PDB file of all heavy atoms in Angstrom:
ATOM      1  N   GLY A 737       7.157  -1.927   2.522  1.00 98.00           N
ATOM      2  CA  GLY A 737       7.277  -3.267   1.956  1.00 98.00           C
ATOM      3  C   GLY A 737       6.053  -3.758   1.197  1.00 98.00           C
ATOM      4  O   GLY A 737       6.087  -4.820   0.577  1.00 98.00           O
ATOM      5  N   GLY A 739       4.788  -2.546  -1.485  1.00 98.00           N
ATOM      6  CA  GLY A 739       4.934  -2.458  -2.945  1.00 98.00           C
ATOM      7  C   GLY A 739       4.608  -1.103  -3.555  1.00 98.00           C
ATOM      8  O   GLY A 739       4.362  -1.008  -4.759  1.00 98.00           O
ATOM      9  N   LYS A 740       4.635  -0.064  -2.755  1.00 98.00           N
ATOM     10  CA  LYS A 740       4.305   1.285  -3.248  1.00 98.00           C
ATOM     11  C   LYS A 740       5.268   1.746  -4.343  1.00 98.00           C
ATOM     12  O   LYS A 740       4.854   2.272  -5.371  1.00 98.00           O
ATOM     13  CB  LYS A 740       4.354   2.314  -2.093  1.00 98.00           C
ATOM     14  CG  LYS A 740       3.426   2.000  -0.943  1.00 98.00           C
ATOM     15  CD  LYS A 740       3.542   3.025   0.167  1.00 98.00           C
ATOM     16  CE  LYS A 740       4.865   3.007   0.908  1.00 98.00           C
ATOM     17  NZ  LYS A 740       5.137   1.767   1.635  1.00 98.00           N
ATOM     18  N   THR A 741       6.568   1.546  -4.103  1.00 98.00           N
ATOM     19  CA  THR A 741       7.585   2.015  -5.050  1.00 98.00           C
ATOM     20  C   THR A 741       7.506   1.251  -6.366  1.00 98.00           C
ATOM     21  O   THR A 741       7.559   1.845  -7.453  1.00 98.00           O
ATOM     22  CB  THR A 741       8.986   1.869  -4.415  1.00 98.00           C
ATOM     23  OG1 THR A 741       8.968   2.549  -3.164  1.00 98.00           O
ATOM     24  CG2 THR A 741      10.064   2.453  -5.294  1.00 98.00           C
ATOM     25  N   THR A 742       7.352  -0.067  -6.244  1.00 98.00           N
ATOM     26  CA  THR A 742       7.255  -0.911  -7.441  1.00 98.00           C
ATOM     27  C   THR A 742       6.058  -0.473  -8.292  1.00 98.00           C
ATOM     28  O   THR A 742       6.187  -0.252  -9.506  1.00 98.00           O
ATOM     29  CB  THR A 742       7.077  -2.391  -7.024  1.00 98.00           C
ATOM     30  OG1 THR A 742       8.086  -2.715  -6.064  1.00 98.00           O
ATOM     31  CG2 THR A 742       7.159  -3.322  -8.204  1.00 98.00           C
ATOM     32  N   ARG A 833      14.952  -7.286   3.374  1.00 96.00           N
ATOM     33  CA  ARG A 833      15.502  -5.932   3.466  1.00 96.00           C
ATOM     34  C   ARG A 833      16.487  -5.778   4.610  1.00 96.00           C
ATOM     35  O   ARG A 833      17.097  -4.720   4.756  1.00 96.00           O
ATOM     36  CB  ARG A 833      14.367  -4.938   3.726  1.00 96.00           C
ATOM     37  CG  ARG A 833      13.886  -4.279   2.503  1.00 96.00           C
ATOM     38  CD  ARG A 833      12.889  -3.205   2.867  1.00 96.00           C
ATOM     39  NE  ARG A 833      12.135  -2.876   1.686  1.00 96.00           N
ATOM     40  CZ  ARG A 833      11.163  -1.994   1.639  1.00 96.00           C
ATOM     41  NH1 ARG A 833      10.811  -1.357   2.739  1.00 96.00           N
ATOM     42  NH2 ARG A 833      10.540  -1.743   0.515  1.00 96.00           N
ATOM     43  N   LYS A 872       1.144 -10.657  -4.967  1.00 98.00           N
ATOM     44  CA  LYS A 872       1.810 -11.367  -6.052  1.00 98.00           C
ATOM     45  C   LYS A 872       1.863 -10.539  -7.336  1.00 98.00           C
ATOM     46  O   LYS A 872       1.107  -9.569  -7.484  1.00 98.00           O
ATOM     47  CB  LYS A 872       1.144 -12.727  -6.302  1.00 98.00           C
ATOM     48  CG  LYS A 872      -0.337 -12.688  -6.126  1.00 98.00           C
ATOM     49  CD  LYS A 872      -0.952 -14.066  -6.153  1.00 98.00           C
ATOM     50  CE  LYS A 872      -2.465 -13.893  -6.149  1.00 98.00           C
ATOM     51  NZ  LYS A 872      -3.212 -15.101  -6.092  1.00 98.00           N
TER      52      LYS A 872
HETATM   53  P1  LIG B2356       7.401  -0.181  -0.590  1.00 76.68           P
HETATM   54  O1  LIG B2356       7.755   0.896  -1.584  1.00 76.68           O
HETATM   55  O2  LIG B2356       5.956  -0.180  -0.220  1.00 76.68           O
HETATM   56  O3  LIG B2356       8.272  -0.196   0.619  1.00 76.68           O
HETATM   57  P2  LIG B2356       8.525  -1.987  -2.597  1.00 76.68           P
HETATM   58  O4  LIG B2356       7.893  -1.499  -3.848  1.00 76.68           O
HETATM   59  O5  LIG B2356       9.931  -1.599  -2.328  1.00 76.68           O
HETATM   60  O6  LIG B2356       7.615  -1.595  -1.310  1.00 76.68           O
HETATM   61  O7  LIG B2356       8.361  -3.575  -2.599  1.00 76.68           O
HETATM   62  C1  LIG B2356       8.938  -4.405  -1.617  1.00 76.68           C
HETATM   63  C2  LIG B2356       9.350  -5.717  -2.261  1.00 76.68           C
HETATM   64  O8  LIG B2356       8.216  -6.448  -2.630  1.00 76.68           O
HETATM   65  C3  LIG B2356      10.175  -5.556  -3.518  1.00 76.68           C
HETATM   66  O9  LIG B2356      11.157  -6.579  -3.502  1.00 76.68           O
HETATM   67  C4  LIG B2356       9.215  -5.812  -4.650  1.00 76.68           C
HETATM   68  C5  LIG B2356       8.219  -6.752  -4.032  1.00 76.68           C
HETATM   69  N1  LIG B2356       6.832  -6.575  -4.513  1.00 76.68           N
HETATM   70  C6  LIG B2356       6.134  -5.426  -4.557  1.00 76.68           C
HETATM   71  N2  LIG B2356       4.902  -5.622  -5.034  1.00 76.68           N
HETATM   72  C7  LIG B2356       4.794  -6.948  -5.292  1.00 76.68           C
HETATM   73  C8  LIG B2356       3.747  -7.794  -5.782  1.00 76.68           C
HETATM   74  N3  LIG B2356       2.521  -7.335  -6.109  1.00 76.68           N
HETATM   75  N4  LIG B2356       4.011  -9.117  -5.912  1.00 76.68           N
HETATM   76  C9  LIG B2356       5.226  -9.610  -5.585  1.00 76.68           C
HETATM   77  N5  LIG B2356       6.259  -8.869  -5.104  1.00 76.68           N
HETATM   78  C10 LIG B2356       6.036  -7.564  -4.952  1.00 76.68           C
END
Side-chain angles (χ1 to χ4, degrees):
K740 302 179 292 297
T741 306
T742 310
R833 263 187 198 179
K872 37 189 187 184

